[in-house]
Amino acid sequence: MSDAAAVRKAVVGASIGNAVEWFDFAIYGFLATYIAANFFPSGDDTAALLNTFAIFAAAFFARPLGGFVFGPLGDRIGRQRVLAIVILLMSAATLAIGLLPTYQAIGVAAPLLLLFFRCLQGFSAGGEYGGGAVYLAEYASPERRGFTVTFMAWSGVVGFLLGSITVTLLQAGLPADAMSSYGWRIPFLIAAPLGLVGLYIRLRLDDTPEFTELSRSDDVAAKPLREAITTSWRSILQVIGLFLIFNVGYYVVFTFLPTYLIKTLNYSKTASFTSITLASLVALVLILPLAALSDRVGRRPMLIAGSALFVVFAYPLFLLANSGSLAAAVTAHCLLAAIESVYISTAVTAGVELFVTRVRYSGFSVGYNVAVAVFGGTTPYVVTWLTGATGVMAPAFYLMGAAALSLLTVLGLHETAGARRSSTVAA
């Protein structure tokens, strides 16, 4: 198989599996209002929605545990095997959520079981994103690494968009009572066949050339997690800072804003769907060309631009969203997605490039998943609470603060674009 064909096969395998994972993970956010009604006592819609987002956040706190387990496992037994395991776990947990009895049927056991399976989703996701990014980085040429690795970010948006479309088609095709009663379960049940497709594809993949060479030379780390923490702790901290605005921006744009348009700005679900669909399409169009640009101009200029744009434009764009015009709100949503695209087009590659082959899966997964847990999964809950407590502009200030902290991290990074990595020496 030619190098180009091998890279294409790797991209397809990692991207399809990742899109399936993020379809599973995203539909929870799109179905938040239905889940709140079915798994918590009636009477206070805001409290139920906050509890639903709290469980959404709890799943993210399980992600570092997944990173601590699957990262070292991937550095010991290989990237491909772990990627097959995590998609199987994710799909099984999502299917189980679709089959859960409601609060009305089994009382408090319902939200507890929901919490358990959401945490199992988070645990499996802790090995997914970092593993896929490492897998693609180790197949890519240095000259096209940014473009190749960023298929992870691109396919994640695809998964979110497919989740949104699935939920919206069900809402359009089912009566409101039917959607509340059983329709919300259908996207979760779809996880089983999608997971089998992703598993089939990943089982047919080879492991990466870099890990294969590491194995042949008997240079696989015996204790990769300990080695990563002791030798690459600075890089792990840099990944956490790097992915602060990545995650806050991602979950504001693709998870929080659809609910914000409905609950805060009082637009219809159809309007919210139109907005998230257009915002997702903007991201899908921009992410890969911007990633290719990072291979030419470097990672730092793209990351500086993305974080600085959030600092400057988050407040004006939320003012625009709150102007009372649906067209203005959708425009603001799309522009926020465009800014997020600038940043996420480069951040994954920049993070992976900070680590050597021996500890790359462990180091990147730990840093990435800590950032997701602290700054990603909490975002819908925090901005929902802040909006209710302080006003409709709270999400803008949250974005600006996160972007400023990530910008400081980026300014301390060395340029890594085009660098040739070694299994024992950092790029």
Side-chain angles (χ1 to χ4, degrees):
M1 183 182 295
S2 69
D3 289 345
V7 171
R8 283 196 298 270
K9 183 179 178 181
V11 168
V12 170
S15 298
I16 290 180
N18 188 55
V20 171
E21 289 263 4
W22 285 102
F23 171 86
D24 293 352
F25 220 68
I27 55 177
Y28 183 95
F30 294 126
L31 293 165
T33 55
Y34 298 103
I35 293 170
N38 279 278
F39 286 90
F40 296 97
S42 58
D44 188 338
D45 291 345
T46 300
L49 187 61
L50 283 172
N51 285 331
T52 303
F53 279 138
I55 291 180
F56 183 85
F60 282 80
F61 286 108
R63 290 183 64 144
L65 179 60
F68 279 108
V69 171
F70 292 120
L73 192 62
D75 281 328
R76 289 201 304 270
I77 70 172
R79 288 57 163 124
Q80 179 267 341
R81 292 181 185 177
V82 174
L83 287 174
I85 293 169
V86 294
I87 193 169
L88 185 62
L89 280 178
M90 169 68 85
S91 299
T94 307
L95 176 63
I97 292 175
L99 297 173
L100 280 180
T102 64
Y103 182 89
Q104 289 72 24
I106 60 172
V108 71
L112 290 178
L113 286 170
L114 177 65
L115 175 62
F116 171 77
F117 287 115
R118 281 290 297 164
C119 287
L120 185 57
Q121 280 187 320
F123 178 73
S124 64
E128 165 62 32
Y129 204 87
V134 167
Y135 190 84
L136 293 182
E138 292 179 356
Y139 260 107
S141 66
E143 296 78 14
R144 290 176 58 84
R145 194 184 303 138
F147 178 76
T148 303
V149 172
T150 303
F151 272 95
M152 289 300 294
W154 186 83
S155 62
V157 177
V158 170
F160 267 86
L161 180 59
L162 290 176
S164 173
I165 291 171
T166 301
V167 171
T168 303
L169 288 176
L170 285 169
Q171 289 173 334
L174 291 175
D177 289 346
M179 189 67 194
S180 297
S181 175
Y182 66 86
W184 65 270
R185 297 181 183 273
I186 295 173
F188 291 101
L189 300 179
I190 292 173
L194 289 179
L196 289 175
V197 171
L199 178 63
Y200 172 78
I201 292 170
R202 287 188 169 179
L203 287 174
R204 292 170 58 86
L205 296 175
D206 298 319
D207 219 319
T208 70
E210 288 190 28
F211 184 81
T212 300
E213 179 60 32
L214 207 66
S215 298
R216 287 173 180 166
S217 61
D218 198 26
D219 197 28
V220 175
K223 297 181 179 179
L225 181 60
R226 177 184 295 181
E227 185 174 327
I229 292 173
T230 56
T231 66
S232 302
W233 60 268
R234 187 183 301 274
S235 296
I236 293 173
L237 292 177
Q238 288 174 325
V239 168
I240 293 172
L242 189 65
F243 280 85
L244 200 166
I245 187 56
F246 181 108
N247 284 291
V248 170
Y250 201 91
Y251 288 100
V252 165
V253 172
F254 297 110
T255 299
F256 170 75
L257 275 176
T259 302
Y260 181 84
L261 263 65
I262 296 168
K263 293 291 185 179
T264 303
L265 302 184
N266 298 314
Y267 292 117
S268 67
K269 290 180 179 178
T270 300
S272 176
F273 167 73
T274 300
S275 189
I276 187 61
T277 300
L278 291 175
S280 299
L281 290 173
V282 166
L284 290 176
V285 169
L286 291 179
I287 287 173
L288 292 179
L290 289 169
L293 181 61
S294 80
D295 284 325
R296 297 178 59 189
V297 305
R299 317 295 183 221
R300 292 180 79 252
M302 301 296 292
L303 294 170
I304 290 170
S307 51
L309 285 168
F310 267 126
V311 172
V312 174
F313 289 106
Y315 186 83
L317 289 176
F318 267 87
L319 280 179
L320 182 64
N322 282 272
S323 65
S325 163
L326 175 59
V330 173
T331 299
H333 196 173
C334 290
L335 289 174
L336 286 167
I339 295 173
E340 177 70 359
S341 299
V342 175
Y343 196 86
I344 68 175
S345 69
T346 307
V348 181
T349 310
V352 171
E353 287 175 330
L354 294 174
F355 300 94
V356 297
T357 308
R358 281 171 57 91
V359 298
R360 185 171 295 124
Y361 204 151
S362 300
F364 182 72
S365 289
V366 169
Y368 171 78
N369 285 299
V370 168
V372 174
V374 177
F375 306 115
T378 59
T379 291
Y381 183 93
V382 170
V383 292
T384 297
W385 180 83
L386 285 174
T387 300
T390 65
V392 295
M393 296 304 295
F397 292 113
Y398 199 66
L399 280 171
M400 292 164 66
L405 291 174
S406 286
L407 179 58
L408 292 176
T409 301
V410 173
L411 292 175
L413 294 178
H414 295 295
E415 182 57 64
T416 56
R420 293 190 177 273
R421 305 174 307 280
S422 162
S423 64
T424 56
V425 181

